[in-house]
């Protein structure tokens, strides 16, 4: 049986993660055009969407006395605290309207439970509870994914590492991703992703070329 074509996974292209949003990724706007180019190239597109209940455990405001950037030790591991962002059914949680979401796109919502965060589309931050992306890719018979989105050093990183762990062939498109980059986190993320056997495509054109090579 021939391998199914790769699936495009766009991580969290939501208003709150773009400049002007509540947890803006610096320079995030530059990914809009490359992401839209990618979207036009794939028959199957999956978009992950951070979708938190108000008072979510990942919000600094949910922990009296804590600040954004603090790290808390929680039952499932260490949790970095963030500004309130991507609250379900608020404008900030919407897919940015500049992203050309195709009608066939599937959406995977994550971080939906109050007491645990999910950076990855595959597993919640306990590393074991499925979020839904793996089942969806199995349904599509996909073995290869191309990943883009926000933020390279948080949710793209977590999604890519899980995908590699699950045995997917993974390509990450640099120009269609942007990172928060605190204290070298972006270059560390790339090191981790490539060490896990993910391919780094500098541009959309390079990703297209590597897809054709199979
Ligand atoms: Zn979040």
């Amino acid at each position: 049986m021939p391998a199914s074509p790769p699936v495009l996974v766009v991580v969290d292209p939501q208003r709150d993660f773009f400049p002007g949003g509540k947890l803006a990724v610096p320079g995030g706007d530059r990914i809009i055009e490359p992401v839209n180019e990618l979207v036009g190239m794939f028959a199957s597109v999956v978009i992950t969407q951070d979708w938190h209940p108000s008072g979510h455990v990942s919000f600094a405001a949910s922990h009296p006395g804590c600040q954004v950037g603090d790290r808390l030790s929680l039952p499932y591991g260490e949790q970095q605290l963030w500004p309130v962002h991507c609250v379900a059914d608020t404008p900030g949680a919407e897919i940015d309207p500049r992203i050309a979401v195709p009608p066939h796109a599937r959406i995977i919502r994550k971080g939906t439970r109050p007491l645990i965060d999910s950076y990855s589309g595959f597993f919640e931050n306990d590393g074991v509870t499925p979020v839904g992306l793996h089942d969806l890719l199995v349904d599509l018979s996909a073995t290869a994914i191309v990943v883009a989105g926000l933020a390279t050093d948080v949710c793209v990183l977590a999604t890519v590492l899980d995908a590699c762990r699950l045995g997917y062939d993974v390509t990450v498109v640099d120009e269609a991703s942007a990172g928060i980059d605190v204290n070298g986190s972006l270059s560390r993320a790339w090191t981790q992703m490539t060490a896990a056997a993910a391919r780094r495509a500098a541009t959309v054109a390079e990703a297209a070329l590597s897809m054709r090579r199979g």
Side-chain angles (χ1 to χ4, degrees):
M1 207 173 78
S4 293
V7 169
L8 176 66
V9 177
V10 184
V11 176
D12 299 4
Q14 297 166 257
R15 288 177 187 267
D16 268 348
F17 293 125
F18 284 102
K22 298 204 175 68
L23 181 40
V25 178
D29 287 344
R30 70 168 172 78
I31 78 162
I32 301 265
E33 222 176 275
V35 165
N36 285 339
E37 247 184 279
L38 282 169
V39 164
M41 290 164 45
F42 286 80
S44 297
V45 176
V46 180
I47 297 177
T48 67
Q49 187 175 29
D50 220 28
W51 192 257
H52 300 310
S54 57
H56 190 247
V57 71
S58 71
F59 301 160
S62 307
H63 307 274
C66 289
Q67 309 289 325
V68 169
D70 286 354
R71 290 168 183 275
L72 281 190
S73 187
L74 295 178
Y76 57 86
E78 195 183 73
Q79 174 69 49
Q80 176 163 354
L81 298 182
W82 303 101
V84 172
H85 66 279
C86 296
V87 174
D89 296 311
T90 65
E94 291 169 6
I95 306 296
D96 191 291
R98 294 170 296 172
I99 297 290
V101 180
H104 58 80
R106 326 270 188 114
I107 308 284
I108 296 282
R109 287 182 173 164
K110 61 191 185 60
T112 60
R113 294 199 295 150
L115 296 180
I116 187 165
D117 206 1
S118 303
Y119 290 164
S120 163
F122 290 97
F123 298 105
E124 296 188 341
N125 284 9
D126 60 6
V128 292
T129 307
V131 171
L133 183 50
H134 183 50
D135 283 347
L136 184 49
L137 293 172
V138 169
D139 277 351
L140 295 168
S141 306
T143 57
I145 60 172
V146 173
V147 185
L150 303 171
T152 314
D153 40 2
V154 186
C155 292
V156 170
L157 170 66
T159 300
V160 165
L161 293 182
D162 280 344
C164 291
R165 184 156 62 96
L166 291 165
Y168 289 97
D169 176 296
V170 185
T171 301
V172 189
V173 187
D174 199 349
E175 74 166 342
S177 313
I180 296 172
D181 200 14
V182 177
N183 300 323
S185 59
L186 185 57
S187 73
R188 272 200 307 280
W190 280 112
T191 303
Q192 284 178 272
M193 291 191 289
T194 50
R199 261 192 303 276
R200 177 180 188 165
T203 60
V204 171
E206 194 180 315
L209 211 64
S210 83
M211 277 163 53
R212 273 200 291 276
R213 275 197 219 107

